[in-house]
Amino acid sequence: RLSRAWLSAAAAAVVIAAGVVGWQVGTGGHSHDAVQTALASCQHTTGCRVVSLTSSSNGNETAYVMVTGDTVQVATKTLPAIDASRQTYVLWQMPQGGTPVGIVAFAVTGGHTATVAHGTLASGDATVFAISREAGTTIPVRPGTLIVTGRTTSA
């Protein structure tokens, strides 16, 4: 009886933990594991591509864009926290020879937390992405200074 109770308690803990991680990833929640969960999910999804974005200035800031069809997720653990009431990060799609298109605005709040945001591609040219930090809380017409950039390595 005692081992059955322990087994039931352990199973309940696993179910609760999986539910919390799933909720955090689905809602853009903040968990150190949210980025790893999103990346693992993409790697196990047919047609999903991961694009690594890095800073050309110091290499310390990174983000990942996961592209499946015309849907994108951006995930990061290393972008600095911002005041979400006055600033936003924006994921940009950078069409070759075209105008950058803002895909999704998101905030990173608190220290050392993960952020996962979802958006939709503007066109089929989804090979280069970048993230900028912008004043205000909406996506501007053009990106300011790009913090991290990256290019897909395969179609």
Side-chain angles (χ1 to χ4, degrees):
R1 283 186 172 202
L2 188 55
S3 63
R4 183 177 282 190
W6 279 106
L7 261 169
S8 296
V14 168
V15 168
I16 290 169
V20 168
V21 169
W23 173 79
Q24 288 175 331
V25 169
T27 61
H30 303 284
S31 164
H32 292 294
D33 296 328
V35 172
Q36 291 308 111
T37 301
L39 289 169
S41 176
C42 182
Q43 291 170 343
H44 292 92
T45 301
T46 303
C48 186
R49 296 177 290 150
V50 176
V51 183
S52 179
L53 309 182
T54 57
S55 168
S56 59
S57 63
N58 63 21
N60 293 334
E61 294 152 338
T62 59
Y64 302 94
V65 176
M66 290 144 286
V67 181
T68 307
D70 66 348
T71 302
V72 295
Q73 289 184 53
V74 59
T76 181
K77 288 193 281 191
T78 60
L79 292 179
I82 58 174
D83 179 351
S85 68
R86 298 184 311 139
Q87 293 179 316
T88 191
Y89 285 110
V90 177
L91 173 66
W92 297 90
Q93 184 177 349
M94 312 293 281
Q96 199 169 30
T99 303
V101 178
I103 300 298
V104 64
F106 63 97
V108 175
T109 58
H112 305 294
T113 58
T115 298
V116 178
H118 306 269
T120 304
L121 295 176
S123 72
D125 185 3
T127 59
V128 179
F129 295 93
I131 294 176
S132 65
R133 182 175 6 191
E134 304 293 344
T137 58
T138 60
I139 298 174
V141 175
R142 290 191 195 105
T145 302
L146 299 178
I147 298 171
V148 293
T149 59
R151 171 183 305 274
T152 58
T153 56
S154 62

